[in-house]
Amino acid sequence: MRIILTLTARAAVLALGFLFVPLGAWTLPVRSQEPRQITVKARKYQFDPARIEVKAGEPVVITFVSEDGSHGFGCKGLKLHTDTFKEDQPEKVTFTASTPGTYEFKCAHICGTGHHKMKGEIVVVP
Ligand code: CUA
């Protein structure tokens, strides 16, 4: 009798274990609502990556890191901009885009002869 009880208890523990595995997996989509972290490198005269794809409704943090002096970031369509950033001083923008589309962004700090060519796009997909 005691053995049977023990076996039953073990079975219960096992069953609970199996229950918790799917429960754990179930909570993952909730965790993914933590902002998606994207790092963009800036150098004369490009952003890398220059094309950033995000989902509508997805919280996003973009960190801009310079590899050669001062640059900036401005995206009028999404009403985003950073202060000037430098090698030792990255800048971040936090946003959740709601309207699908392609939004051009530009360097927002005059960084040299190719400054006006330093562009990219944020593509918001449904
Ligand atoms: Cu980089 Cu202007």
Side-chain angles (χ1 to χ4, degrees), residues 43-45 47 70-72 107-112 114-116 118:
R43 60 181 170 270
K44 294 173 184 179
Y45 294 99
F47 290 98
S70 297
H71 298 279
C107 181
H109 176 86
I110 296 171
C111 54
H115 160 71
H116 64 283
M118 196 168 163

Side-chain angles (χ1 to χ4, degrees), residues 9 13 27 36 41 45 53 58 64 70 72 85 90-91 100 111:
V13 169
T27 59
R36 186 149 74 90
K41 293 177 196 164
Y45 294 99
E53 192 174 299
E58 172 187 46
F64 291 92
S70 297
F85 49 89
E91 283 286 334
C111 54

Side-chain angles (χ1 to χ4, degrees), residues 73-81 95-106 120-124:
F73 162 83
C75 178
K76 277 189 186 159
L78 292 171
K79 296 189 174 118
L80 300 172
H81 72 277
F95 66 101
T96 303
S98 53
T99 310
T102 299
Y103 301 89
E104 189 188 64
F105 63 81
K106 296 175 180 174
E121 59 189 21
I122 295 175
V123 179
V124 181

